[in-house]
Amino acid sequence: MAFIEIIDEYKRYKMGDTVIAANDGINFSVEKGELVIILGPSGAGKSTVLNILGGMDTCDEGKIIVDDVEISKFNNKQLTNYRRNDVGFVFQFYNLVQNLTAKENVELATQISRNALDVDEVLALVGLSHRKDNFPSQLSGGEQQRVSIARAIAKNPKLLLCDEPTGALDYNTGKQILKTLQDACKNTGTTVLIITHNSALAPIANRVIRINDAKVRSIEVNENPIPVE
Ligand code: ADP
Ligand code: ADP
């Protein structure tokens, strides 16, 4: 069995009398340690998949298996534990605590996690040692996103889930963030999933899953992903 297995997963939202099929029979698998890009236009159903995989939402039907555990059978308490210990999240707009320094933001995440890594080492890994005592408002967008990546990987998660991590950044800063994510994937062995609408990102991934209109349209395995410079 693969590290992640999503089997016949369905998620519908009711809006008054209309039902929206956000995920309409999603199937894919991911191997441990891969960097995966989930690609598709806005409204395709990408965030729904990511939220379900991260234990932030539950599916209506289907099986979600992570590291041999069926998380789609979890109760709320098990989901909370899973989110705290097994999953790191990176968002488009960083979501840092504004009155805590970079280092304190990372420490906060490690306090509620079982397997936490050394905070200074993780800050060094993302190239932010010299900025650790700065507050978010004193950091550039790219630096703030590196704090948020440090915060996510400091939990030593099995999975790192990133929702449009370069979406708010200019081209060169976005490239640095993708390099940071690619390095984190290599250096920590964490499996990284990135959702994006930007097909230019595809060449850096081990696996590209295209989603459109609530279904998986293609899956490409890339034997030689391009290292981001
Ligand atoms: P993407 O991340 O690819 O932009 P989403 O997974 O966010 O797509 O959304 C898929 C579909 O589900 C869209 O039509 C969206 O409007 C709908 N949707 C997502 N979340 C909700 C929600 N909480 N309530 C109602 N509809 C939703
Ligand atoms: P724009 O924001 O002007 O639409 P692009 O769509 O070209 O620019 O790129 C958007 C994001 O994709 C940027 O954050 C950039 O870092 C990233 N990106 C695009 N192409 C590549 C590539 N070949 N390698 C790494 N990152 C890329």
Side-chain angles (χ1 to χ4, degrees):
M1 189 182 287
F3 184 65
I4 297 172
E5 296 270 3
I6 298 192
I7 303 162
D8 293 332
E9 180 264 305
Y10 289 80
K11 178 73 178 181
R12 302 171 192 93
Y13 293 106
K14 283 200 183 69
M15 302 271 282
D17 287 342
T18 33
V19 176
I20 295 165
N23 285 171
D24 192 22
I26 297 279
N27 286 281
F28 67 81
S29 58
V30 169
E31 300 296 337
K32 192 172 167 65
E34 283 186 335
L35 188 153
V36 178
I37 288 192
I38 299 179
L39 189 64
S42 175
K46 307 182 297 295
S47 302
T48 302
V49 173
L50 208 75
N51 290 342
I52 291 170
L53 194 53
M56 293 188 286
D57 204 347
T58 53
C59 56
D60 299 329
E61 287 174 52
K63 268 191 192 178
I64 315 294
I65 299 165
V66 178
D67 202 10
D68 288 329
V69 178
E70 189 177 342
I71 68 156
S72 43
K73 285 214 171 111
F74 277 177
N75 60 30
N76 282 334
K77 192 171 173 221
Q78 289 172 308
L79 281 174
T80 303
N81 268 327
Y82 170 73
R83 282 194 303 269
R84 278 190 188 162
N85 295 297
D86 297 329
V87 191
F89 299 98
V90 174
F91 306 97
Q92 181 172 2
F93 295 109
Y94 331 128
N95 293 13
L96 300 174
V97 181
Q98 293 300 313
N99 61 354
L100 297 181
T101 64
K103 183 170 177 177
E104 288 165 347
N105 265 280
V106 179
E107 280 169 344
L108 186 64
T110 61
Q111 279 161 12
I112 56 162
S113 173
R114 210 186 300 126
N115 328 307
L117 303 175
D118 183 83
V119 171
D120 287 310
E121 278 176 28
V122 173
L123 284 163
L125 192 71
V126 302
L128 270 189
S129 299
H130 62 301
R131 287 285 191 206
K132 63 179 188 238
D133 296 322
N134 287 104
F135 292 93
S137 61
Q138 300 171 319
L139 300 173
S140 70
E143 286 169 338
Q144 291 185 62
Q145 192 60 301
R146 278 189 275 156
V147 177
S148 95
I149 294 169
R151 176 181 59 184
I153 61 181
K155 302 198 306 187
N156 199 11
K158 290 179 179 175
L159 276 185
L160 183 57
L161 303 181
C162 313
D163 190 343
E164 297 280 2
T166 64
L169 303 170
D170 63 56
Y171 181 84
N172 284 315
T173 311
K175 251 177 124 160
Q176 285 167 22
I177 291 304
L178 293 171
K179 178 165 169 45
T180 304
L181 289 171
Q182 217 177 31
D183 288 348
C185 184
K186 266 203 206 105
N187 296 332
T188 67
T190 302
T191 305
V192 179
L193 281 87
I194 300 173
I195 65 175
T196 181
H197 62 274
N198 183 1
S199 56
L201 270 49
I204 74 161
N206 300 104
R207 188 181 296 266
V208 180
I209 298 166
R210 286 190 166 75
I211 295 185
N212 202 350
D213 206 7
K215 292 185 198 296
V216 173
R217 303 298 168 170
S218 71
I219 298 174
E220 234 171 82
V221 176
N222 193 353
E223 300 294 343
N224 294 304
I226 295 171
V228 184
E229 294 305 328

